[in-house]
Each structure stands twice: as C-alpha cells, then as structure tokens.
C-alpha cells in the first residue's frame, strides 16, 4: 500500500512539473523564446542589457603619443585610441559636446581651453620636455654653469613663438640673461642672446647660427643626417635640464572629462585604469622596442596623417629624450602653476592661470 501511494504521489509531482515547464515556455505575448543550447553573454559589467562603455582617448602625434603605447598594447576594449594632427587636438576637448573622454595636450593649450576645470580636469603631466641644443661650431656644451656664454651668440629656434621658444625664453629669464628676437635679418646684439626663428628644414650647419634649438625627433635626425659632413651637428645642451634638472618642465598633460570623473563605478574604473597606464608608461618605454612603438601608434593614427616617428628617426635614445614620465596632478600642482606663470611673463597670450578645480584630486 505504501509503495502504491508513493508511486501515485510521484506521478502527481511529475505532472505538476510538466505543467510548470509548459507554462514557463508558453508563447505568452512579448515573451522571448530562449534556446537552452545558446550561451548567454552578459552585455554590461554592472547593468544587464546595457552595453559596456568605450572611452575615447586622444593625443597629438609626436612625443605625447608615446605615453599611450603601453595602454594601446594592453588591448583593452574599454578604450578607443586616436593619434591625431597636433594642430587639431584642441577640437576634441572643445565645443558643446566635446568628443574626448581622455585627452593629452600641451599644458599651455590646456590652461587656456580648460583651466577653469568646468568640463575637464588635469589628471597629471605625461611628458616633461623634448627640446635640445645642437651645434656644429666649436662651442661649449651648454649647462647651468655656463649658460651666459650664449650672450653675443645666435640661436636658431624651431617653433620660436610656441613652447620650444617660449621655454627657452623662460630659462634665459631664470638665469637673468638678456636676449632679443632678431627678425627679418635684423642686427644681432653683442650684449644679448640673439634668438632667430627657423623652419626645421633650414636647420643646417651651413646656415651659420652658433646653436640651434630643436625638439625630438628632429634633433636626432639632424645629428644623424650631418654625420658625414665636414662640420656635423652634435648635441650641445638639454633645455629640460637647464629648466628643472631631472624633472624637466611640465610639457604635455592628460585631462579627463568631468562627467567621467564624476560618473559611476564603471567610469571610476576607467579612470583608475587610465591612471595605472600612465604611471607605467615611462617604465614600459624603457624596455619596449622602437618597432613595437611604431606598430602601436600606426594602428591608431588618423588615416593619411604623416607620422612624426618612423623607422628612420625613432630610436631608444629618441624615446628617452621625449621624457615620458607621469606625475599626478596632486603632486605637480605647484610646478604647473609656476611654469604657467613663467610662460605668461614671456607672452601674456601663450598660457593662462588655472583654477584649483583644474587639478584632479583622487
């Protein structure tokens, strides 16, 4: 009897289960039909049904782009990288709806465009100067101890109105050395340093300046290109060293969109990941091959843009000369403010003072 009851009860339970399965899999209105053999992949890290975010990262071609190489090589789908023409970098952080979630750009440009901290904040500095003196003459290599020997001499300056030339003027002011800008074949002064604007193509030993000031990779390219000349170029001074010793000067900075910095957990994770990339960027470049660097940048550069770096001009020495090293905003605030003040003293339109809100606090 007990055996019969057990069988009857089992039959009832099986019937109920079958009815339940039929109800669950019934074609109710708007019910999706789920194939149990089809794997289900989550589409968002936190919110089911919401696609994971992709964060846009922009940098101008050249030294600032080197700071992104280890991030690009990591291959995370969370970030989309764009290496663009340096003359257009400001367009990605301005306008009613700026497209860059993260952006590397020159400090002086960032100060003028974003210095209020309203739409973007500075996460830190990523490059610290890549400008060097060249000479083909029998001149001293320039140091802090003998910079006054420039008085009465001529310096051909690539990008004289921009950061290279402005920074040279800052340095001369730091050491109390008088200078003048010689324009259109004007007369050089014997009691001042004579600064002359030069197009990179015209920087040759035959042009006759005592020194030239060039950014990398142009500086190394000029040295290599004149190696067999009767009077070849040599490296004759380090502008970064003259300004700030091993620290150099704050050249390019990383900014992040305020809406990302103040977003949810996914946004916070993206910021933390980007900061970790930046903190490791300098160390990574010390060990990576130039070929890897070129491959990484070629894969994200704007189509048709002529590359700043190529197989002929990128070497381990050039990478080192680009001074890629990250310093968090909280640690470089004083240095950034001081450098901006010095740039403004040279040219009031070259930079702007920034608010405390410009600096990101983790």
């Amino acid at each position: 009897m007990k055996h019969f009851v057990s069988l009857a009860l089992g039959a009832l339970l099986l019937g109920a289960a079958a009815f339940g399965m039929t109800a669950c899999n019934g074609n109710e209105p708007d019910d999706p039909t789920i194939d149990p053999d089809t794997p289900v992949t989550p589409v968002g890290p936190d919110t089911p049904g919401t696609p994971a975010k992709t964060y846009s990262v922009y940098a101008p071609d050249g030294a600032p782009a080197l700071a992104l190489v280890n991030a690009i090589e990591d291959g995370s789908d969370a970030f989309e990288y764009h290496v663009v023409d340096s003359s257009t970098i400001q367009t990605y952080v301005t306008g009613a709806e700026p497209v860059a979630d993260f952006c590397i750009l020159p400090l002086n440009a960032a100060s003028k465009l974003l210095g209020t901290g309203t739409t973007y904040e500075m996460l830190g500095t990523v490059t610290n100067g890549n400008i060097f003196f060249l000479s083909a003459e029998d001149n001293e290599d320039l140091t802090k101890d003998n910079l006054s020997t420039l008085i009465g001499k001529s310096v051909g300056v690539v990008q004289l109105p921009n950061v290279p030339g402005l920074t040279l003027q800052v340095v001369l002011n730091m050491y109390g050395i008088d200078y003048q800008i010689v324009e259109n074949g004007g007369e050089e002064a014997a009691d001042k340093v004579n600064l002359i604007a030069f197009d990179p193509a015209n920087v040759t030993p035959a042009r006759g300046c005592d020194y030239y000031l060039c950014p990398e990779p142009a500086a190394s390219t000029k040295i290599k290109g004149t190696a067999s000349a009767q009077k070849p170029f040599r490296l004759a001074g380090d502008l970064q060293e003259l300004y700030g010793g091993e620290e150099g000067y704050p050249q390019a900075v990383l900014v992040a969109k305020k809406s990302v910095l103040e977003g949810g957990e996914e946004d916070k994770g993206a910021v933390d990941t980007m900061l970790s990339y930046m903190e490791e960027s300098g160390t990574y470049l010390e060990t990576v091959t130039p070929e890897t660097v070129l491959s990484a940048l070629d894969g994200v550069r704007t189509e048709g843009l002529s590359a700043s770096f190529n197989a002929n001009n990128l070497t381990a020495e050039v990478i080192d000369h680009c001074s890629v090293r990250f310093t968090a905003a909280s640690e470089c605030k004083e240095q950034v403010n001081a450098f901006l003040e010095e740039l403004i003293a040279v040219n009031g339109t070259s930079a702007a003072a920034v608010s405390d809100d410009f600096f990101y606090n983790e």
Side-chain angles (χ1 to χ4, degrees):
M1 184 67 178
K2 289 183 178 178
H3 181 64
F4 174 79
V5 172
S6 295
L7 288 175
L9 181 59
L12 287 171
L13 291 172
L14 287 171
F19 177 80
M21 290 176 65
T22 302
C24 287
N25 289 325
N27 291 324
E28 294 292 332
D30 301 321
D31 261 2
T33 300
I34 300 174
D35 184 350
D37 295 324
T38 302
V40 178
T41 302
V43 293
D46 298 315
T47 307
T50 302
K53 291 183 181 180
T54 300
Y55 299 86
S56 59
V57 186
Y58 287 81
D61 203 17
L66 293 178
L68 292 180
V69 173
N70 68 316
I72 296 168
E73 285 293 288
D74 186 60
S76 170
D77 291 335
F79 300 97
E80 186 178 79
Y81 300 97
H82 306 268
V83 172
V84 302
D85 190 322
S86 60
S87 66
T88 67
I89 192 63
Q90 73 280 359
T91 64
Y92 302 100
V93 293
T94 53
E97 297 183 3
V99 298
D101 293 312
F102 298 89
C103 186
I104 297 175
L105 70 167
L107 170 60
N108 66 317
S111 72
K112 293 193 292 181
L113 298 171
L114 312 171
T116 62
T118 303
T119 56
Y120 287 85
E121 292 182 16
M122 187 190 92
L123 300 185
T125 56
V126 297
T127 65
N128 303 274
N130 65 327
I131 306 170
F132 295 85
F133 290 94
L134 305 177
S135 184
E137 306 298 330
D138 186 20
N139 297 316
E140 296 182 70
D141 290 350
L142 298 171
T143 68
K144 294 180 178 181
D145 296 327
N146 67 5
L147 194 59
S148 61
T149 61
L150 278 178
I151 294 174
K153 291 185 169 59
S154 59
V155 182
V157 183
V158 175
Q159 299 184 42
L160 179 57
N162 301 319
V163 171
L166 294 170
T167 306
L168 173 58
Q169 293 172 71
V170 167
V171 167
L172 293 174
N173 287 337
M174 286 173 60
Y175 291 89
I177 299 173
D178 286 339
Y179 64 89
Q180 68 169 1
I181 295 175
V182 182
E183 298 179 347
N184 301 321
E187 185 177 352
E188 296 182 14
D191 59 348
K192 298 178 181 178
V193 181
N194 299 282
L195 308 182
I196 306 170
F198 259 79
D199 184 275
N202 294 329
V203 175
T204 68
R207 299 293 292 191
C209 285
D210 296 293
Y211 294 90
Y212 294 90
L213 190 71
C214 292
E216 287 285 25
S220 291
T221 299
K222 296 294 181 183
I223 292 172
K224 180 180 178 181
T226 61
S228 59
Q230 184 176 359
K231 295 172 65 177
F233 276 134
R234 72 177 194 282
L235 199 64
D238 181 333
L239 190 63
Q240 294 67 236
E241 175 72 24
L242 291 171
Y243 177 86
E246 294 182 359
E247 296 300 315
Y249 64 91
Q251 181 186 38
V253 299
L254 174 68
V255 299
K257 190 179 288 185
K258 195 79 169 278
S259 59
V260 174
L261 296 173
E262 296 178 348
E265 287 302 310
E266 188 176 0
D267 292 333
K268 184 179 185 303
V271 173
D272 290 344
T273 299
M274 183 54 62
L275 285 170
S276 69
Y277 285 147
M278 291 298 107
E279 289 164 357
E280 297 165 3
S281 59
T283 303
Y284 180 82
L285 289 171
E286 291 175 1
T287 58
V288 73
T289 65
E291 290 77 15
T292 297
V293 172
L294 293 174
S295 176
L297 297 181
D298 287 346
V300 299
R301 186 179 289 108
T302 300
E303 186 175 355
L305 177 62
S306 180
S308 295
F309 297 117
N310 55 56
N312 294 321
N313 67 19
L314 188 66
T315 64
E317 182 179 41
V318 168
I319 293 173
D320 179 63
H321 283 177
C322 288
S323 304
V324 176
R325 184 181 64 257
F326 182 75
T327 305
S330 59
E331 299 174 14
C332 65
K333 179 178 179 179
E334 184 176 340
Q335 184 187 21
V336 164
N337 283 331
F339 187 60
L340 289 173
E341 185 177 342
E342 291 161 341
L343 289 177
I344 294 168
V346 170
N347 182 332
T349 64
S350 66
V354 297
S355 75
D356 288 342
D357 291 337
F358 177 64
F359 299 94
Y360 174 64
N361 288 312
E362 296 183 53

